[in-house]
Amino acid sequence: MVFLGSGTSLYLANYAGDQGGIAAYFCQMAVIVIYVAFSTVMVALNFVLHMKRFNKSEK
């Protein structure tokens, strides 16, 4: 997603004029939001699994 989004943004910025630049900006924002959401899910999942293992080892 990151490479495809960046490539799409570069294409839009280079070949579609001013509207392409705006579309490239929104495309990059979408890539960033997806990356942050994915990272947040991974951190939360890691925390939950760590707590599950910690509670299991306490018993």
Side-chain angles (χ1 to χ4, degrees), residues 2-41:
V2 173
F3 294 117
L4 182 64
S6 298
T8 303
S9 294
L10 183 63
Y11 173 80
L12 290 171
N14 283 333
Y15 299 110
D18 290 339
Q19 289 181 344
I22 294 167
Y25 172 77
F26 285 123
C27 187
Q28 277 304 112
M29 289 298 107
V31 169
I32 291 168
V33 166
I34 290 169
Y35 185 75
V36 167
F38 178 74
S39 297
T40 303
V41 167

Side-chain angles (χ1 to χ4, degrees), residues 40-59:
T40 303
V41 167
M42 288 293 112
V43 168
L45 186 61
N46 187 31
F47 179 74
V48 167
L49 291 175
H50 178 72
M51 292 307 292
K52 205 180 257 191
R53 280 188 226 127
F54 180 72
N55 289 335
K56 188 184 269 187
S57 66
E58 257 185 13
K59 293 179 182 180

